Amino acid sequence: MPRAAAPSMGATQARGCARSGKWVPRKGRARNGRLDERRAYPLMARVIAEHEDRLRHEVPERREALFDEAAEAWLSYLRTERRAKPSTLYNYGNLLAEPSGSRRRKGARIMRAFGGRPLFGIATKDVRQFLSRLDHEDLSPRTVNIHRQVLHAISEFARREETFGLPENPVARTTKRPEDEPAPIETFEPDEIRAIAAAARTGRHRHRTGYRHSVYSVETEREWRRINDQDASLFIVAAMTGLRLGELGALRWRDLNIEARFIHVSRSISAGEETSRKARRSLVVPLAASRVEELEVLDGVADACA
């Protein structure tokens, strides 16, 4: 039988190059979205030139930035773009407070460690050492993780091209501490809630110096009874609706529809300021008959004070 023709030298070399991982030329034009050698080199040269120009004009200035500047810019970003709650800004402000000289100054730990330091000079090992020091203080794992979270968020914000252009987040390779299981939520039975309300109506929830042994005018005694009845009704409404303390504090009579038996909750108190409720979504809470009765008591108290 005739032998098969041996492959040419060119085909053999091409297969050998493919097996060795080298480039193998292809015939024909490059497909859409792909570059051939002639087009790739000019594009590569342009990208390199643009990158070097950016390094010359932007990076030297940014490399002089301090951690303090990044922290302040991040807080401003939370306040303006993210529209964070006042309580959130307050808590983060405490964590980033300037050192006061007192070791017991709440929230000064981050600035004691990183305040005044160049942002680009903070390495992963620095963050690891900082978190390790917190581990040896009388702090819970959750508190250590909160400090880590703030550092991570600041560094991630600083990585943005329009902020500081930090090459990498030094916190990303640190370890999050395992946290304990949350404590069980304490709940009250209906009888207990009624007992709390009964105690409030007699004024036992208040601490008034000399109240039991002092003589007040009839008007003062009447005002104390009004306040106690109001508090008792508020305790029942709070327990039966499940609203947060901030949401309860922001309720107004216009939010109540007694006839339809519901409360419209759209606001909350955060760090002493009235703002939209959590997740910025309003909530409609249905009311049982007993809760409506208590609210009617409150309404009567409010009319009496008007």
Side-chain angles (χ1 to χ4, degrees):
M1 295 179 60
R3 292 185 179 180
S8 64
M9 181 61 70
T12 303
Q13 289 178 343
R15 284 199 296 269
C17 291
R19 283 194 297 269
S20 64
K22 298 180 180 179
W23 288 101
V24 179
R26 288 187 176 181
K27 295 181 180 180
R29 296 182 179 179
R31 292 187 236 168
N32 291 338
R34 300 179 182 272
L35 299 173
D36 56 16
E37 185 177 7
R38 181 173 61 84
R39 293 184 178 89
Y41 276 110
L43 178 61
M44 181 177 64
R46 186 168 76 250
V47 171
I48 292 175
E50 291 175 355
H51 179 68
E52 290 178 345
D53 183 68
R54 188 165 60 251
L55 290 177
R56 283 193 299 271
H57 292 88
E58 296 182 5
V59 173
E61 179 181 349
R62 293 180 179 184
R63 284 188 176 275
E64 297 176 0
L66 301 178
F67 173 81
D68 313 54
E69 298 175 61
E72 183 178 354
W74 176 68
L75 286 174
S76 177
Y77 156 76
L78 292 180
R79 185 181 305 107
T80 57
E81 185 173 336
R82 296 292 298 174
R83 303 296 179 95
K85 298 281 188 181
S87 57
T88 300
L89 295 172
Y90 176 80
N91 292 335
Y92 285 147
N94 278 340
L95 287 168
L96 295 170
E98 293 292 337
S100 64
S102 170
R103 289 290 179 181
R104 299 182 64 85
R105 170 67 178 268
K106 182 180 180 182
R109 296 180 180 89
I110 291 178
M111 299 310 293
R112 286 183 188 276
F114 301 105
R117 294 184 56 174
L119 177 64
F120 281 65
I122 299 174
T124 298
K125 68 174 183 178
D126 300 320
V127 181
R128 285 198 185 111
Q129 291 172 355
F130 169 71
L131 297 176
S132 179
R133 289 197 298 270
L134 297 187
D135 289 332
H136 290 84
E137 294 186 30
D138 188 19
L139 299 176
S140 67
R142 174 169 173 76
T143 301
V144 177
N145 283 335
I146 289 174
H147 283 76
R148 178 184 178 275
Q149 172 193 343
V150 170
L151 287 171
H152 187 282
I154 293 173
S155 301
E156 198 64 26
F157 172 77
R159 289 187 63 199
R160 295 185 175 189
E161 184 64 27
E162 70 274 15
T163 58
F164 298 91
L166 192 67
E168 64 177 8
N169 188 334
V171 190
R173 295 198 301 271
T174 61
T175 304
K176 183 179 179 180
R177 276 52 179 170
E179 298 183 13
D180 299 330
E181 291 292 330
I185 299 176
E186 183 179 3
T187 59
F188 294 93
E189 298 295 331
D191 290 342
E192 294 176 311
I193 296 172
R194 284 191 286 269
I196 292 173
R201 284 196 170 91
T202 60
R204 282 182 286 169
H205 66 305
R206 297 185 178 277
H207 296 283
R208 287 186 284 162
T209 304
Y211 171 65
R212 295 182 179 276
H213 306 287
S214 301
V215 177
Y216 292 92
S217 66
V218 174
E219 290 77 11
T220 301
E221 291 289 348
R222 184 184 301 115
E223 177 64 11
W224 277 120
R225 286 194 297 272
R226 183 195 68 79
I227 293 174
N228 292 339
D229 287 339
Q230 173 182 271
D231 290 351
S233 295
L234 284 172
F235 290 159
I236 291 177
V237 172
M240 296 300 184
T241 57
L243 296 180
R244 297 179 176 88
L245 185 60
E247 295 168 343
L248 289 165
L251 284 179
R252 301 293 181 267
W253 282 112
R254 62 178 179 270
D255 302 321
L256 171 65
N257 190 325
I258 291 182
E259 293 182 0
R261 293 188 178 182
F262 72 82
I263 297 176
H264 182 255
V265 185
S266 60
R267 298 174 306 281
S268 181
I269 301 296
S270 177
E273 299 181 26
E274 187 172 298
T275 181
S276 57
R277 70 178 296 273
K278 190 174 183 180
R280 295 179 173 82
R281 295 179 182 177
S282 59
L283 178 69
V284 175
V285 180
L287 297 172
S290 60
R291 300 176 221 173
V292 172
E293 292 172 2
E294 293 297 338
L295 287 170
E296 288 174 337
V297 171
L298 284 176
D299 196 7
V301 171
D303 291 340
C305 295

PDB file of all heavy atoms in Angstrom, residues 260-286:
ATOM      1  N   ALA A 260     -60.045  53.339  60.914  1.00  0.00           N
ATOM      2  CA  ALA A 260     -59.539  52.221  60.108  1.00  0.00           C
ATOM      3  C   ALA A 260     -58.615  51.303  60.913  1.00  0.00           C
ATOM      4  O   ALA A 260     -58.202  50.252  60.416  1.00  0.00           O
ATOM      5  CB  ALA A 260     -58.801  52.740  58.884  1.00  0.00           C
ATOM      6  N   ARG A 261     -58.277  51.720  62.138  1.00  0.00           N
ATOM      7  CA  ARG A 261     -57.458  50.929  63.049  1.00  0.00           C
ATOM      8  C   ARG A 261     -56.069  50.612  62.477  1.00  0.00           C
ATOM      9  O   ARG A 261     -55.672  49.468  62.312  1.00  0.00           O
ATOM     10  CB  ARG A 261     -58.168  49.621  63.426  1.00  0.00           C
ATOM     11  CG  ARG A 261     -59.415  49.832  64.258  1.00  0.00           C
ATOM     12  CD  ARG A 261     -59.974  48.515  64.759  1.00  0.00           C
ATOM     13  NE  ARG A 261     -61.141  48.727  65.606  1.00  0.00           N
ATOM     14  CZ  ARG A 261     -61.809  47.750  66.221  1.00  0.00           C
ATOM     15  NH1 ARG A 261     -61.412  46.492  66.057  1.00  0.00           N
ATOM     16  NH2 ARG A 261     -62.856  48.028  66.974  1.00  0.00           N
ATOM     17  N   PHE A 262     -55.319  51.661  62.170  1.00  0.00           N
ATOM     18  CA  PHE A 262     -53.929  51.458  61.784  1.00  0.00           C
ATOM     19  C   PHE A 262     -53.118  52.715  62.098  1.00  0.00           C
ATOM     20  O   PHE A 262     -53.665  53.810  62.266  1.00  0.00           O
ATOM     21  CB  PHE A 262     -53.801  51.087  60.298  1.00  0.00           C
ATOM     22  CG  PHE A 262     -54.074  52.219  59.339  1.00  0.00           C
ATOM     23  CD1 PHE A 262     -53.101  53.167  59.030  1.00  0.00           C
ATOM     24  CD2 PHE A 262     -55.312  52.314  58.718  1.00  0.00           C
ATOM     25  CE1 PHE A 262     -53.356  54.193  58.144  1.00  0.00           C
ATOM     26  CE2 PHE A 262     -55.580  53.337  57.824  1.00  0.00           C
ATOM     27  CZ  PHE A 262     -54.597  54.283  57.537  1.00  0.00           C
ATOM     28  N   ILE A 263     -51.796  52.510  62.204  1.00  0.00           N
ATOM     29  CA  ILE A 263     -50.851  53.614  62.385  1.00  0.00           C
ATOM     30  C   ILE A 263     -49.940  53.642  61.166  1.00  0.00           C
ATOM     31  O   ILE A 263     -49.427  52.599  60.729  1.00  0.00           O
ATOM     32  CB  ILE A 263     -49.996  53.434  63.653  1.00  0.00           C
ATOM     33  CG1 ILE A 263     -50.873  53.450  64.903  1.00  0.00           C
ATOM     34  CG2 ILE A 263     -48.944  54.531  63.762  1.00  0.00           C
ATOM     35  CD1 ILE A 263     -50.096  53.186  66.184  1.00  0.00           C
ATOM     36  N   HIS A 264     -49.734  54.820  60.608  1.00  0.00           N
ATOM     37  CA  HIS A 264     -48.827  54.992  59.477  1.00  0.00           C
ATOM     38  C   HIS A 264     -47.486  55.500  60.016  1.00  0.00           C
ATOM     39  O   HIS A 264     -47.401  56.601  60.561  1.00  0.00           O
ATOM     40  CB  HIS A 264     -49.404  55.979  58.460  1.00  0.00           C
ATOM     41  CG  HIS A 264     -48.543  56.164  57.257  1.00  0.00           C
ATOM     42  ND1 HIS A 264     -47.777  57.278  57.035  1.00  0.00           N
ATOM     43  CD2 HIS A 264     -48.306  55.327  56.209  1.00  0.00           C
ATOM     44  CE1 HIS A 264     -47.118  57.147  55.906  1.00  0.00           C
ATOM     45  NE2 HIS A 264     -47.418  55.980  55.377  1.00  0.00           N
ATOM     46  N   VAL A 265     -46.460  54.691  59.878  1.00  0.00           N
ATOM     47  CA  VAL A 265     -45.132  55.014  60.426  1.00  0.00           C
ATOM     48  C   VAL A 265     -44.201  55.369  59.268  1.00  0.00           C
ATOM     49  O   VAL A 265     -43.925  54.535  58.397  1.00  0.00           O
ATOM     50  CB  VAL A 265     -44.547  53.824  61.215  1.00  0.00           C
ATOM     51  CG1 VAL A 265     -43.226  54.221  61.866  1.00  0.00           C
ATOM     52  CG2 VAL A 265     -45.537  53.343  62.255  1.00  0.00           C
ATOM     53  N   SER A 266     -43.728  56.600  59.255  1.00  0.00           N
ATOM     54  CA  SER A 266     -42.847  57.038  58.170  1.00  0.00           C
ATOM     55  C   SER A 266     -41.589  57.731  58.666  1.00  0.00           C
ATOM     56  O   SER A 266     -40.690  58.003  57.870  1.00  0.00           O
ATOM     57  CB  SER A 266     -43.595  57.991  57.227  1.00  0.00           C
ATOM     58  OG  SER A 266     -44.037  59.145  57.944  1.00  0.00           O
ATOM     59  N   ARG A 267     -41.517  58.019  59.973  1.00  0.00           N
ATOM     60  CA  ARG A 267     -40.368  58.762  60.490  1.00  0.00           C
ATOM     61  C   ARG A 267     -39.803  58.067  61.726  1.00  0.00           C
ATOM     62  O   ARG A 267     -40.442  57.173  62.300  1.00  0.00           O
ATOM     63  CB  ARG A 267     -40.791  60.204  60.860  1.00  0.00           C
ATOM     64  CG  ARG A 267     -41.296  61.013  59.686  1.00  0.00           C
ATOM     65  CD  ARG A 267     -41.829  62.364  60.145  1.00  0.00           C
ATOM     66  NE  ARG A 267     -42.835  62.219  61.197  1.00  0.00           N
ATOM     67  CZ  ARG A 267     -44.099  61.890  60.972  1.00  0.00           C
ATOM     68  NH1 ARG A 267     -44.518  61.669  59.743  1.00  0.00           N
ATOM     69  NH2 ARG A 267     -44.954  61.783  61.970  1.00  0.00           N
ATOM     70  N   SER A 268     -38.624  58.524  62.114  1.00  0.00           N
ATOM     71  CA  SER A 268     -37.967  57.986  63.309  1.00  0.00           C
ATOM     72  C   SER A 268     -37.071  59.070  63.892  1.00  0.00           C
ATOM     73  O   SER A 268     -36.724  60.039  63.215  1.00  0.00           O
ATOM     74  CB  SER A 268     -37.143  56.745  62.949  1.00  0.00           C
ATOM     75  OG  SER A 268     -36.524  56.204  64.103  1.00  0.00           O
ATOM     76  N   ILE A 269     -36.727  58.906  65.152  1.00  0.00           N
ATOM     77  CA  ILE A 269     -35.790  59.808  65.815  1.00  0.00           C
ATOM     78  C   ILE A 269     -34.424  59.144  65.817  1.00  0.00           C
ATOM     79  O   ILE A 269     -34.262  58.027  66.318  1.00  0.00           O
ATOM     80  CB  ILE A 269     -36.227  60.131  67.256  1.00  0.00           C
ATOM     81  CG1 ILE A 269     -37.617  60.774  67.268  1.00  0.00           C
ATOM     82  CG2 ILE A 269     -35.204  61.042  67.935  1.00  0.00           C
ATOM     83  CD1 ILE A 269     -37.691  62.108  66.577  1.00  0.00           C
ATOM     84  N   SER A 270     -33.432  59.808  65.241  1.00  0.00           N
ATOM     85  CA  SER A 270     -32.074  59.271  65.157  1.00  0.00           C
ATOM     86  C   SER A 270     -31.103  60.320  65.679  1.00  0.00           C
ATOM     87  O   SER A 270     -30.999  61.409  65.110  1.00  0.00           O
ATOM     88  CB  SER A 270     -31.729  58.899  63.710  1.00  0.00           C
ATOM     89  OG  SER A 270     -30.406  58.440  63.596  1.00  0.00           O
ATOM     90  N   ALA A 271     -30.409  59.986  66.781  1.00  0.00           N
ATOM     91  CA  ALA A 271     -29.456  60.921  67.408  1.00  0.00           C
ATOM     92  C   ALA A 271     -30.105  62.275  67.682  1.00  0.00           C
ATOM     93  O   ALA A 271     -29.500  63.329  67.479  1.00  0.00           O
ATOM     94  CB  ALA A 271     -28.217  61.093  66.528  1.00  0.00           C
ATOM     95  N   GLY A 272     -31.360  62.238  68.136  1.00  0.00           N
ATOM     96  CA  GLY A 272     -32.051  63.467  68.492  1.00  0.00           C
ATOM     97  C   GLY A 272     -32.668  64.204  67.321  1.00  0.00           C
ATOM     98  O   GLY A 272     -33.297  65.245  67.514  1.00  0.00           O
ATOM     99  N   GLU A 273     -32.507  63.688  66.094  1.00  0.00           N
ATOM    100  CA  GLU A 273     -33.055  64.338  64.910  1.00  0.00           C
ATOM    101  C   GLU A 273     -34.150  63.479  64.306  1.00  0.00           C
ATOM    102  O   GLU A 273     -34.050  62.262  64.268  1.00  0.00           O
ATOM    103  CB  GLU A 273     -31.965  64.579  63.865  1.00  0.00           C
ATOM    104  CG  GLU A 273     -30.832  65.476  64.336  1.00  0.00           C
ATOM    105  CD  GLU A 273     -29.803  65.687  63.252  1.00  0.00           C
ATOM    106  OE1 GLU A 273     -30.165  65.578  62.053  1.00  0.00           O
ATOM    107  OE2 GLU A 273     -28.638  65.954  63.578  1.00  0.00           O
ATOM    108  N   GLU A 274     -35.196  64.136  63.810  1.00  0.00           N
ATOM    109  CA  GLU A 274     -36.262  63.402  63.137  1.00  0.00           C
ATOM    110  C   GLU A 274     -35.867  63.148  61.692  1.00  0.00           C
ATOM    111  O   GLU A 274     -35.479  64.070  60.964  1.00  0.00           O
ATOM    112  CB  GLU A 274     -37.574  64.187  63.197  1.00  0.00           C
ATOM    113  CG  GLU A 274     -38.763  63.401  62.666  1.00  0.00           C
ATOM    114  CD  GLU A 274     -40.088  64.101  62.895  1.00  0.00           C
ATOM    115  OE1 GLU A 274     -40.438  64.309  64.083  1.00  0.00           O
ATOM    116  OE2 GLU A 274     -40.741  64.449  61.905  1.00  0.00           O
ATOM    117  N   THR A 275     -35.972  61.914  61.271  1.00  0.00           N
ATOM    118  CA  THR A 275     -35.579  61.537  59.918  1.00  0.00           C
ATOM    119  C   THR A 275     -36.506  60.438  59.424  1.00  0.00           C
ATOM    120  O   THR A 275     -37.381  59.967  60.153  1.00  0.00           O
ATOM    121  CB  THR A 275     -34.118  61.053  59.901  1.00  0.00           C
ATOM    122  OG1 THR A 275     -33.738  60.701  58.567  1.00  0.00           O
ATOM    123  CG2 THR A 275     -33.928  59.848  60.806  1.00  0.00           C
ATOM    124  N   SER A 276     -36.335  60.033  58.171  1.00  0.00           N
ATOM    125  CA  SER A 276     -37.145  58.933  57.656  1.00  0.00           C
ATOM    126  C   SER A 276     -36.760  57.648  58.374  1.00  0.00           C
ATOM    127  O   SER A 276     -35.640  57.494  58.849  1.00  0.00           O
ATOM    128  CB  SER A 276     -36.941  58.783  56.147  1.00  0.00           C
ATOM    129  OG  SER A 276     -35.572  58.587  55.839  1.00  0.00           O
ATOM    130  N   ARG A 277     -37.704  56.710  58.453  1.00  0.00           N
ATOM    131  CA  ARG A 277     -37.455  55.484  59.202  1.00  0.00           C
ATOM    132  C   ARG A 277     -36.450  54.610  58.484  1.00  0.00           C
ATOM    133  O   ARG A 277     -36.045  54.880  57.359  1.00  0.00           O
ATOM    134  CB  ARG A 277     -38.760  54.729  59.452  1.00  0.00           C
ATOM    135  CG  ARG A 277     -39.382  54.106  58.224  1.00  0.00           C
ATOM    136  CD  ARG A 277     -40.655  53.340  58.597  1.00  0.00           C
ATOM    137  NE  ARG A 277     -40.374  52.217  59.468  1.00  0.00           N
ATOM    138  CZ  ARG A 277     -40.049  51.015  59.010  1.00  0.00           C
ATOM    139  NH1 ARG A 277     -39.941  50.786  57.725  1.00  0.00           N
ATOM    140  NH2 ARG A 277     -39.826  50.020  59.856  1.00  0.00           N
ATOM    141  N   LYS A 278     -36.040  53.530  59.140  1.00  0.00           N
ATOM    142  CA  LYS A 278     -35.043  52.618  58.612  1.00  0.00           C
ATOM    143  C   LYS A 278     -35.461  52.109  57.238  1.00  0.00           C
ATOM    144  O   LYS A 278     -36.614  51.776  57.008  1.00  0.00           O
ATOM    145  CB  LYS A 278     -34.864  51.439  59.573  1.00  0.00           C
ATOM    146  CG  LYS A 278     -33.683  50.552  59.250  1.00  0.00           C
ATOM    147  CD  LYS A 278     -33.495  49.497  60.322  1.00  0.00           C
ATOM    148  CE  LYS A 278     -32.261  48.644  60.035  1.00  0.00           C
ATOM    149  NZ  LYS A 278     -32.057  47.612  61.071  1.00  0.00           N
ATOM    150  N   ALA A 279     -34.473  52.030  56.323  1.00  0.00           N
ATOM    151  CA  ALA A 279     -34.694  51.603  54.938  1.00  0.00           C
ATOM    152  C   ALA A 279     -35.539  52.609  54.157  1.00  0.00           C
ATOM    153  O   ALA A 279     -35.866  52.387  52.996  1.00  0.00           O
ATOM    154  CB  ALA A 279     -35.338  50.218  54.859  1.00  0.00           C
ATOM    155  N   ARG A 280     -35.897  53.752  54.804  1.00  0.00           N
ATOM    156  CA  ARG A 280     -36.642  54.830  54.146  1.00  0.00           C
ATOM    157  C   ARG A 280     -37.957  54.354  53.529  1.00  0.00           C
ATOM    158  O   ARG A 280     -38.396  54.849  52.499  1.00  0.00           O
ATOM    159  CB  ARG A 280     -35.761  55.509  53.082  1.00  0.00           C
ATOM    160  CG  ARG A 280     -34.550  56.225  53.688  1.00  0.00           C
ATOM    161  CD  ARG A 280     -33.671  56.865  52.645  1.00  0.00           C
ATOM    162  NE  ARG A 280     -32.621  57.669  53.266  1.00  0.00           N
ATOM    163  CZ  ARG A 280     -31.495  57.160  53.744  1.00  0.00           C
ATOM    164  NH1 ARG A 280     -31.269  55.865  53.654  1.00  0.00           N
ATOM    165  NH2 ARG A 280     -30.578  57.940  54.294  1.00  0.00           N
ATOM    166  N   ARG A 281     -38.577  53.381  54.150  1.00  0.00           N
ATOM    167  CA  ARG A 281     -39.869  52.894  53.690  1.00  0.00           C
ATOM    168  C   ARG A 281     -40.895  53.087  54.795  1.00  0.00           C
ATOM    169  O   ARG A 281     -40.628  52.804  55.956  1.00  0.00           O
ATOM    170  CB  ARG A 281     -39.785  51.411  53.318  1.00  0.00           C
ATOM    171  CG  ARG A 281     -38.876  51.126  52.131  1.00  0.00           C
ATOM    172  CD  ARG A 281     -38.832  49.635  51.849  1.00  0.00           C
ATOM    173  NE  ARG A 281     -37.941  49.322  50.741  1.00  0.00           N
ATOM    174  CZ  ARG A 281     -37.669  48.087  50.330  1.00  0.00           C
ATOM    175  NH1 ARG A 281     -38.217  47.051  50.950  1.00  0.00           N
ATOM    176  NH2 ARG A 281     -36.853  47.877  49.321  1.00  0.00           N
ATOM    177  N   SER A 282     -42.069  53.570  54.420  1.00  0.00           N
ATOM    178  CA  SER A 282     -43.127  53.749  55.407  1.00  0.00           C
ATOM    179  C   SER A 282     -43.720  52.388  55.761  1.00  0.00           C
ATOM    180  O   SER A 282     -43.572  51.404  55.038  1.00  0.00           O
ATOM    181  CB  SER A 282     -44.205  54.680  54.864  1.00  0.00           C
ATOM    182  OG  SER A 282     -44.759  54.148  53.676  1.00  0.00           O
ATOM    183  N   LEU A 283     -44.401  52.359  56.885  1.00  0.00           N
ATOM    184  CA  LEU A 283     -44.939  51.108  57.423  1.00  0.00           C
ATOM    185  C   LEU A 283     -46.351  51.359  57.929  1.00  0.00           C
ATOM    186  O   LEU A 283     -46.606  52.370  58.583  1.00  0.00           O
ATOM    187  CB  LEU A 283     -44.040  50.603  58.558  1.00  0.00           C
ATOM    188  CG  LEU A 283     -44.449  49.328  59.286  1.00  0.00           C
ATOM    189  CD1 LEU A 283     -44.304  48.128  58.367  1.00  0.00           C
ATOM    190  CD2 LEU A 283     -43.588  49.145  60.535  1.00  0.00           C
ATOM    191  N   VAL A 284     -47.249  50.447  57.630  1.00  0.00           N
ATOM    192  CA  VAL A 284     -48.611  50.511  58.143  1.00  0.00           C
ATOM    193  C   VAL A 284     -48.783  49.408  59.171  1.00  0.00           C
ATOM    194  O   VAL A 284     -48.609  48.226  58.864  1.00  0.00           O
ATOM    195  CB  VAL A 284     -49.641  50.361  57.010  1.00  0.00           C
ATOM    196  CG1 VAL A 284     -51.049  50.304  57.583  1.00  0.00           C
ATOM    197  CG2 VAL A 284     -49.517  51.517  56.026  1.00  0.00           C
ATOM    198  N   VAL A 285     -49.102  49.795  60.420  1.00  0.00           N
ATOM    199  CA  VAL A 285     -49.235  48.837  61.518  1.00  0.00           C
ATOM    200  C   VAL A 285     -50.707  48.728  61.891  1.00  0.00           C
ATOM    201  O   VAL A 285     -51.315  49.719  62.323  1.00  0.00           O
ATOM    202  CB  VAL A 285     -48.411  49.283  62.739  1.00  0.00           C
ATOM    203  CG1 VAL A 285     -48.547  48.279  63.872  1.00  0.00           C
ATOM    204  CG2 VAL A 285     -46.944  49.449  62.361  1.00  0.00           C
ATOM    205  N   PRO A 286     -51.317  47.557  61.729  1.00  0.00           N
ATOM    206  CA  PRO A 286     -52.721  47.392  62.131  1.00  0.00           C
ATOM    207  C   PRO A 286     -52.858  47.416  63.642  1.00  0.00           C
ATOM    208  O   PRO A 286     -51.933  47.058  64.380  1.00  0.00           O
ATOM    209  CB  PRO A 286     -53.087  46.021  61.546  1.00  0.00           C
ATOM    210  CG  PRO A 286     -51.787  45.295  61.432  1.00  0.00           C
ATOM    211  CD  PRO A 286     -50.739  46.335  61.142  1.00  0.00           C
TER     212      PRO A 286
END
